């Protein structure tokens, strides 16, 4: 990436996220969801909280994910993201730890996914909810701030985005959201990702 890496302190990341010109998807007929883009710290190194979904789940089993899910009736994106963060990994945050909101991502399965950025700081080891989360990872932001890989599929004209991660790949929608966050948080660059495609297995 040509743009220089910026300091990853809380104030700097907060300022960049707060100034992000978010694009919302006005699709009230779609199911509304929220995910937590949660920054933790491990040995003073900023990291992003990612989970591996449990193998027995009906949809997206075993895939990488951000903590999140469908919003309850009357729930805001912030409220939904914080609730899911508590339910999935046992981490309770409040509104003072919210840094901002990124672009909505509309999924092939009919959801409007709203990413809520929060800063948790040092949290120690986290354990995922039994039956829902197989593993909880705190991945250094510098490991995620990488050039994506784009592939073509016959089912769509849009490029499928992938991010290399731990010997495999992170797929959209998670890959798209993580990529946008890293571009703004680590480089101060606004990059739209809503047009990036998901792999066919994630369309369900």
């Amino acid at each position: 990436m040509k743009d220089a890496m910026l300091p990853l302190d809380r104030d700097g990341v907060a300022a960049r996220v707060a100034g992000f010109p978010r694009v919302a998807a006005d699709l009230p007929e779609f199911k509304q969801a929220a995910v937590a883009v949660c920054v933790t710290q491990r040995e003073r190194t900023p990291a992003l909280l990612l989970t591996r979904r449990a193998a027995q789940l009906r949809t997206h089993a075993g895939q990488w994910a951000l903590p999140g899910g469908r919003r309850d009736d009357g729930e805001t994106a912030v409220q939904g993201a914080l609730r899911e963060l508590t339910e999935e990994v046992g981490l309770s945050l409040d509104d003072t730890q919210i840094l901002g909101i990124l672009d909505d991502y509309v999924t092939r399965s009919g959801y409007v996914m709203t990413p809520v950025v929060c800063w948790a700081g040092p949290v120690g080891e986290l354990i995922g909810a039994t039956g829902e989360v197989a593993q909880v990872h705190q991945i250094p932001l510098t490991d995620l701030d990488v050039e994506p890989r784009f592939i073509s599929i016959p089912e769509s004209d849009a490029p499928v985005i992938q991010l290399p991660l731990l010997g495999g790949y992170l797929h959209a929608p998670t890959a798209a959201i993580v990529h946008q966050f890293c571009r703004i948080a680590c480089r101060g660059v606004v990059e739209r990702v809503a047009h990036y495609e998901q792999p066919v297995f994630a369309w369900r």
Side-chain angles (χ1 to χ4, degrees), residues 4 123 142 153 187 196:
V123 296
T142 51
I153 56 174
R187 309 277 170 169
Y196 291 145

Side-chain angles (χ1 to χ4, degrees), residues 49-73:
L49 192 62
L50 289 171
T51 67
R52 291 298 293 261
R53 289 169 59 83
Q56 68 270 27
L57 289 174
R58 188 164 47 91
T59 57
H60 312 303
Q63 293 180 30
W64 288 101
L66 293 160
R70 188 168 182 172
R71 286 155 56 181
D72 291 341
D73 291 341

Side-chain angles (χ1 to χ4, degrees), residues 89-138:
V89 301
L91 182 57
S92 296
L93 304 182
D94 59 39
D95 288 353
T96 65
Q97 292 164 284
I98 301 298
L99 303 187
I101 301 178
L102 303 181
D103 288 348
D104 287 339
Y105 185 95
V106 181
T107 73
R108 285 283 190 169
S109 55
Y111 285 87
V112 174
M113 187 177 289
T114 301
V116 177
V117 181
C118 48
W119 188 285
V123 296
E125 295 296 327
L126 297 169
I127 298 175
T130 303
E132 186 173 0
V133 176
Q135 297 173 315
V136 181
H137 294 263
Q138 296 176 53

Side-chain angles (χ1 to χ4, degrees), residues 6-56:
L6 299 173
L8 293 177
D9 58 283
R10 186 191 190 282
D11 289 346
V13 173
R16 293 189 284 276
V17 172
F20 177 74
R22 156 177 158 76
V23 176
D26 184 19
L27 295 168
E29 69 276 17
F30 279 53
K31 294 168 283 190
Q32 304 297 306
V35 294
V37 183
C38 183
V39 182
T40 65
Q41 287 176 289
R42 305 207 63 179
E43 298 177 356
R44 299 186 180 180
T45 299
L48 197 64
L49 192 62
L50 289 171
T51 67
R52 291 298 293 261
R53 289 169 59 83
Q56 68 270 27

Side-chain angles (χ1 to χ4, degrees), residues 183-202:
R183 291 295 283 156
I184 185 65
C186 299
R187 309 277 170 169
V189 174
V190 173
E191 183 169 332
R192 304 300 177 193
V193 297
H195 61 289
Y196 291 145
E197 184 61 271
Q198 302 171 245
V200 174
F201 66 75

